[in-house]
Amino acid sequence: MAKKVTRIKGKQTIERKISAGRVYVTATFNNTIVTLTDTQGRTLAWGSSGASGFKGARRATPFAAISAMEAVAQKAKNLGISSCEVYIKGPGSGRDATIKSLRGAGINITMIADVTPIPYNGPRPKK
């Protein structure tokens, strides 16, 4: 089942069981950033295309997004997470690739939400 995660805060040790989490995917035109949190929003692990070893224009490819998600999924398995909710943000090419990679890693996806911010004629955009 779920393993215990220990954090040391001063001299006090906090133990908690984690079985479900949230995955936030930010897919921009230049990079894909993946963040794994628990249900309360505390970050447990993260990864990106750049941290996976891709440089320059190759960071924006779907293959780089798959590599970033596989690294985060492996960390999630080590923590004992078996199911997660996925929140996708941004217009990048790594959107669909990350979901397929997460399914392939064996983590159950309970919800997929697109949280891309859409302006309703707000201030004038930059440049």
Side-chain angles (χ1 to χ4, degrees), residues 11-121:
K11 294 182 180 179
Q12 182 181 3
T13 305
I14 301 170
E15 294 183 358
R16 52 193 165 116
K17 293 183 179 180
I18 301 172
S19 61
R22 294 180 182 171
V23 175
Y24 293 92
V25 178
T26 304
T28 65
F29 291 120
N30 294 324
N31 202 357
T32 302
I33 301 169
V34 181
T35 306
L36 173 70
T37 66
D38 58 3
T39 54
Q40 285 139 3
R42 294 182 290 225
T43 302
L44 302 173
W46 67 273
S48 69
S49 299
S52 297
F54 294 91
K55 300 294 178 194
R58 294 179 57 201
R59 287 186 311 177
T61 61
F63 182 71
I66 289 171
S67 300
M69 181 57 87
E70 286 176 351
V72 172
Q74 183 62 38
K75 293 175 187 175
K77 288 257 183 176
N78 292 340
L79 292 172
I81 293 177
S82 60
S83 65
C84 68
E85 300 173 351
V86 180
Y87 296 92
I88 299 177
K89 179 180 181 180
S93 63
R95 294 168 55 98
D96 298 331
T98 54
I99 295 173
K100 290 178 184 177
S101 175
L102 191 61
R103 282 189 186 143
I107 296 177
N108 186 22
I109 298 174
T110 57
M111 181 187 70
I112 300 173
D114 187 2
V115 293
T116 304
I118 300 171
Y120 294 101
N121 289 339

